[in-house]
Amino acid sequence: MKRVIVADSSSNVRTLPGVAYAFAPLTVRVDGVDYVDNESLDKQAFLDALEKTKDASTTSCPNIQDWLHAFGDADEVFVVALTSGLSGGYNAAVNAAEHYQESNPGAKVFVLDSKSTGPELELIVEKYAQLIEENLSFEHIVSAIQEYLKRTHLMFSLKKVDNFAKNGRVNPLVAKLASALNIRIVGQASDQGELQVLHKSRGEKNALNQILANMVECGFAGGRTILRHTQNFAAAQKLETLIKERFPECHITIGENEGLCSYYAEPGGLLVGFEAGA
């Protein structure tokens, strides 16, 4: 029996050693140029284009064919998608799953709406892999991953919100003032899968302390944590130090955001996926 884990590129996961894995890329269009969020993306050129443009940029989610290509010829497919609150990728994945099962009698596909992005999806992908390695049944894996999603969360700190301003989601004056006053936007992925602002912190130190405080409020007690940054490794290291001072045994991974997450986080941004509870 062939099993595969599939995510979209907002998970930041490109390879997954030891387990069959594939991802469906999102695309960002800037000044008429399509930047596909895959292994070939020149992230620096992409970020430079976003900074230089004065116009709104757009994103496009994986279509049904993109998802079907990622499914390959697996007997069982376990999918996690970028929150349906920000993208139509989840609905496309559901439609692809229906088509795949109709075309492949006996095949099984489960699609999870992460209600999140970035490192929280990465935690889900890791959990899928663990459950598959335990050789559990399809139904057991589906049930376990739905329960696991109740324990995972996403926090973020944004140094810049220029892309949001250009796309009409943030007042341009607010974006300029935030930059001039060294304000960090601290927030979380809400239960509805939307990016929810919690605090406006003056300076990075305050923002990092606020992130940890909110993690603890969500029930964090030293669970698995993934830190993904956009050109801000120093901030990720500082947050790692803060977490380990309080939870010395915490397992933390630090890495860079890929294309789609860099688009949302922008240079200086930090995304934090973590497990709450036991």
Side-chain angles (χ1 to χ4, degrees):
M1 180 175 61
K2 187 174 181 179
R3 291 171 152 181
V4 64
I5 301 168
V6 178
D8 59 54
S9 60
S10 73
S11 69
N12 288 321
V13 181
R14 296 297 179 260
T15 60
L16 194 63
V19 181
Y21 172 77
F23 71 92
L26 289 97
T27 301
V28 183
R29 171 163 283 200
V30 186
D31 288 337
V33 177
D34 286 338
Y35 293 86
V36 181
D37 188 16
N38 59 21
E39 302 95 332
S40 300
L41 176 67
D42 184 334
K43 282 193 290 183
Q44 190 57 59
F46 169 60
L47 291 172
D48 288 344
L50 285 170
E51 183 177 4
K52 291 176 183 177
T53 187
K54 296 181 180 179
D55 298 324
S57 49
T58 60
T59 62
S60 58
C61 62
N63 58 36
I64 293 176
Q65 288 303 316
D66 293 327
W67 286 112
L68 289 173
H69 177 74
F71 294 173
D73 60 353
D75 302 298
E76 295 182 355
V77 185
F78 301 94
V79 184
V80 59
L82 171 66
T83 172
S84 58
L86 291 177
S87 168
Y90 167 75
N91 290 331
V94 169
N95 290 332
E98 293 174 354
H99 178 82
Y100 189 79
Q101 291 171 116
E102 289 173 359
S103 303
N104 299 274
K108 299 179 180 180
V109 184
F110 172 68
V111 183
L112 181 71
D113 183 353
S114 69
K115 301 293 185 181
S116 189
T117 188
E120 187 172 357
L121 269 74
E122 192 169 349
L123 288 171
I124 297 295
V125 168
E126 288 182 354
K127 189 66 174 181
Y128 267 142
Q130 176 192 328
L131 296 168
I132 287 173
E133 288 171 354
E134 293 175 5
N135 200 30
L136 301 176
S137 69
F138 179 88
E139 291 74 20
H140 193 156
I141 291 174
V142 168
S143 176
I145 209 71
Q146 290 173 314
E147 285 301 309
Y148 183 67
L149 182 63
K150 297 175 183 178
R151 294 179 47 219
T152 59
H153 302 273
L154 175 76
M155 297 290 301
F156 60 84
S157 171
L158 305 181
K159 182 179 180 181
K160 300 174 63 178
V161 289
D162 293 352
N163 292 336
F164 288 110
K166 291 171 185 175
N167 291 339
R169 296 185 179 184
V170 173
N171 187 307
L173 180 59
V174 171
K176 289 181 180 179
L177 284 174
S179 179
L181 298 176
N182 195 23
I183 299 296
R184 299 295 194 278
I185 307 299
V186 176
Q188 66 181 1
S190 71
D191 292 340
Q192 293 73 39
E194 299 175 348
L195 299 182
Q196 177 184 7
V197 174
L198 299 175
H199 308 279
K200 297 176 183 177
S201 299
R202 189 73 174 268
E204 191 161 74
K205 181 178 180 180
N206 288 334
L208 297 178
N209 283 316
Q210 192 64 64
I211 285 177
L212 180 53
N214 283 109
M215 290 170 66
V216 172
E217 285 182 13
C218 288
F220 178 70
R224 175 82 173 100
T225 302
I226 300 176
L227 311 180
R228 296 297 180 200
H229 67 91
T230 303
Q231 298 181 338
N232 199 354
F233 180 60
Q237 283 186 310
K238 290 175 184 176
L239 182 56
E240 178 186 36
T241 298
L242 285 174
I243 294 172
K244 293 237 174 187
E245 285 175 351
R246 187 161 180 179
F247 304 101
E249 303 303 317
C250 183
H251 180 196
I252 301 174
T253 299
I254 296 177
E256 294 184 1
N257 286 314
E258 298 297 337
L260 195 280
C261 286
S262 289
Y263 174 75
Y264 283 118
E266 299 193 49
L270 182 64
L271 303 180
V272 184
F274 63 96
E275 296 174 343

